[in-house]
Amino acid sequence: MSTLFNRIRKAIETLLIASLLAMVALTFADVIGRRFFGTPIYGAHDLTEHLMTLLVFSGLPLLTSARGHLVVDLFDRFVMTDSMRWWRGLTTLLVAAILLLIAYQFVLAALDAEDIQEVSQELLIPRSYFYYLISLSCLVSAIAALLPPQKTEPHTQEDAS
Amino acid sequence: MTIGLIALIAVLILTFLRVPLAFSLLTVSITGLALDLGMNTALTTTSMTISEAVFSYEMAVVPLFILMGNILSRSGISADLFRAANAHFGHVRGGLALSTMVTCAGFSAVCGSSLATAATMTKVAFPSMKKYGYSNGLAAATIAAGGTLGILIPPSIILMIYGILTQTNIGHLFVAGVIPGMLGLGLYMLAIYIIALVRPGSAPRGEKSTPQERLQSLKGVWPFCLLFLLIIGGIYAKVFTATEAAGMGAGFALIIALVQRRIGWKEFRQIFLESAFVSVMLYCVLFGAMLFAKLISFSGLGEGLLQWVQATGLSSYGLIFVILAVFLVLGCVMDSLAIILICVPLFTPLIIANGFDLIWFGIIVVVVTEIAFITPPIGMNVFVIKATLPEIAFKDIFRGLVPFIGVDLVRLTLLVLFPSISLALVHWMQ
């Protein structure tokens, strides 16, 4: 089972690298093409936006699993004590609940987008697929928030101070 | 208005109780919107806010500049740059922090994004300052404060938004931002110099280099200079936008690093993953901040504050100070862009009615929102640094920022009392 999880994690990490590399390559080629050859890449902005969505929502489950979200550590001496364990549990539930709400809402948004055939401005990419991706990402992140933290390359944020 | 006020307090409490910032903002915003407008509207607003933010080409500037900073940092170019800086200024007390501040000003002027500057400069400057024995507080605070210089030095995204909102000439706003931006840089450098004099241990003096060593130290700097010129030249010549400049910068940094064999596959993978995770983290906070801004707007808190200001019957300058106080208070809990978007349309009629210049007011507002970038509890630059350097505690960074916030307040007072500091170049131009 852990081998399967590891493979999925590696696959997502590869997707993150590919998305970011594609954003750089696309912007680079678009600017060079536009300025020096008069041939910009049609829909480059559109593609960048979708790659950005792919990047953010592919990375969200890994970040949540690694407890990588930003926290304020000013009162750690108080919050990180054994007597506040219940609060930390409540915080975990709160994070999962918010992620589940967003997942639910994006299923509705995806269904609406299918109904009205919502597409991107230049390349006419159907938005519903990306809304489903956001929904799935938030659902997986909610589950990840409830499970024990996992180590993710290259580092994690929470509990670091 | 009551819901907005309670929401402000609730966000502060949850954040201080270690609820991840993104989720404290999202929780309070969704709850507040549900109470105010109903659950369905609250959830629809949430999904719309997230999709607006994530499907935004302009916001892609963040991951691309973070990537560029990571590449520069891991490929050793940053070490070359600071070797050069140290060779020239290292013997001065606080010299490396002074170099960092100048670099921050130059870089933030190029990219126009305070967050991207803080993220990039954390990678580029912090390891070197640590290597030379600078305290965590001074090193991190120098970068956080230096990042804010970019809001005022053109091209500035916030100034563009202000210009659009108030229908003020954006070119004039850019020109007006030059002297206040330089003044900010000068005062920050003065603050570093005084800190180095008062607490010599936090900014140690290095060894003096020979002229040959100084010349040799410049050898490794050319890639950075090339990137700097490319980005500055590109944006000023309107060859590309900030996002495109970020992509070009990241692309050239990657090419230089690969061609010069400064990074291998392992570093390549780490650089990209780290950049991706920091970006995801920042996006989550931005989702929360943008939704929270909508709650504040819907709850009528901004309007309530305006009515209160109007009801005071203050003199013109008294009014300005009260408005700035409102900006400062909101700046403690909201991101600068949200403050500009919410408050500027509300206060603009009041400013015009009192006979103030909108360009001058724009500069003042931007300086105030700069301060908000480094004030607790939601100083976004501090969070960027914390995201990149998790080992440094927030309290150390905020403590280090106190002198910089102090000189910022001095600058703000000077700009309010002497409008010609902002308007002289504009008048000369006209």
Side-chain angles (χ1 to χ4, degrees), chain A residues 58-71:
Chain A
S58 303
L60 183 62
L62 292 187
L63 188 79
T64 309
S65 172
R67 303 295 184 268
H69 290 286
L70 282 172
V71 290

Side-chain angles (χ1 to χ4, degrees), chain A residues 120-138:
Chain A
S120 65
Q121 281 185 349
E122 289 174 327
L123 297 174
L124 309 180
I125 301 167
R127 278 280 156 86
S128 58
Y129 299 135
F130 284 86
Y131 292 160
Y132 280 126
L133 168 76
I134 295 172
S135 179
L136 180 67
S137 163
C138 291

Side-chain angles (χ1 to χ4, degrees), chain B residues 6-78:
Chain B
I6 293 169
L8 272 175
I9 297 164
V11 163
L12 282 171
I13 292 171
L14 286 178
T15 306
F16 284 134
L17 286 176
R18 216 175 197 280
V19 174
L21 180 65
F23 291 94
S24 62
L25 286 165
L26 284 168
T27 304
V28 170
S29 306
I30 293 171
T31 310
L33 287 168
L35 288 170
D36 209 17
L37 307 166
M39 195 61 186
N40 280 344
T41 313
L43 290 178
T44 309
T45 309
T46 306
S47 61
M48 279 174 65
T49 305
I50 291 174
S51 45
E52 276 165 21
V54 84
F55 287 108
S56 161
Y57 182 73
E58 285 70 29
M59 282 178 69
V61 70
V62 175
L64 292 173
F65 268 125
I66 287 172
L67 177 65
M68 185 181 120
N70 277 337
I71 294 169
L72 288 175
S73 172
R74 294 286 181 92
S75 63
I77 291 170
S78 58

Side-chain angles (χ1 to χ4, degrees), chain B residues 52 75 137 180 189 266 317 357 418:
Chain B
E52 276 165 21
S75 63
M189 292 176 80
K266 194 183 166 191
Y317 273 97
D357 190 301
F418 305 103

Side-chain angles (χ1 to χ4, degrees), chain B residues 79-372:
Chain B
D80 290 340
L81 183 67
F82 277 89
R83 200 174 298 124
N86 194 45
H88 287 82
F89 306 110
H91 61 285
V92 180
R93 212 175 272 289
L96 208 50
L98 293 172
S99 312
T100 302
M101 195 54 87
V102 174
T103 316
C104 276
F107 187 81
S108 58
V110 169
C111 74
S113 164
S114 205
L115 297 179
T117 302
T120 305
M121 291 311 295
T122 303
K123 287 288 164 193
V124 173
F126 189 85
S128 304
M129 281 200 275
K130 281 309 295 172
K131 190 176 162 188
Y132 288 104
Y134 277 61
S135 71
N136 279 346
L138 178 61
T142 299
I143 296 165
T148 67
L149 290 169
I151 306 184
L152 209 54
I153 300 173
S156 155
I157 294 164
I158 298 264
L159 276 180
M160 282 186 227
I161 288 164
Y162 177 87
I164 293 163
L165 283 173
T166 59
Q167 295 182 322
T168 311
N169 186 307
I170 294 171
H172 289 177
L173 279 167
F174 280 178
V175 171
V178 172
I179 294 178
M182 292 298 118
L183 180 66
L185 174 63
L187 287 172
Y188 278 165
M189 292 176 80
L190 183 67
I192 291 170
Y193 187 72
I194 292 169
I195 292 167
L197 281 180
V198 175
R199 294 201 307 267
S202 64
R205 193 192 294 268
E207 288 173 19
K208 193 165 185 176
S209 307
T210 62
Q212 287 84 357
E213 283 171 336
R214 287 186 189 184
L215 197 65
Q216 209 160 24
S217 72
L218 295 173
K219 269 188 181 175
V221 178
W222 72 264
F224 180 82
C225 295
L226 187 73
L227 273 179
F228 192 79
L229 288 173
L230 170 85
I231 295 165
I232 279 192
I235 291 178
Y236 275 90
K238 296 179 184 172
V239 177
F240 32 69
T241 64
T243 305
E244 290 168 344
M248 292 294 284
F252 271 114
L254 189 61
I255 289 169
I256 292 166
L258 289 173
V259 168
Q260 295 190 342
R261 298 188 178 184
R262 287 170 179 258
I263 57 168
W265 166 243
K266 194 183 166 191
E267 289 83 14
F268 176 89
R269 186 180 164 79
Q270 280 178 343
I271 287 165
F272 274 76
L273 277 182
E274 194 169 325
S275 306
F277 283 123
V278 171
S279 304
V280 176
M281 205 184 298
L282 289 174
Y283 263 77
C284 290
V285 179
L286 286 170
F287 295 152
M290 290 169 78
L291 192 64
F292 189 66
K294 286 187 179 164
L295 170 65
I296 294 293
S297 177
F298 284 136
S299 72
L301 179 63
E303 286 170 24
L305 283 170
L306 177 64
Q307 283 168 8
W308 176 74
V309 169
Q310 285 173 325
T312 56
L314 287 168
S315 66
S316 296
Y317 273 97
L319 186 67
I320 287 291
F321 277 107
V322 172
I323 290 173
L324 294 183
V326 172
F327 273 94
L328 275 175
V329 170
L330 289 178
C332 290
V333 286
M334 289 168 71
D335 77 292
S336 306
L337 190 58
I339 299 170
I340 297 278
L341 287 169
I342 293 168
C343 296
V344 164
L346 289 173
F347 289 129
T348 300
L350 211 60
I351 294 302
I352 295 170
N354 280 274
F356 289 114
D357 190 301
L358 273 183
I359 291 177
W360 168 77
F361 184 65
I363 301 301
I364 300 289
V365 162
V366 167
V367 171
V368 175
T369 54
E370 271 186 48
I371 300 172

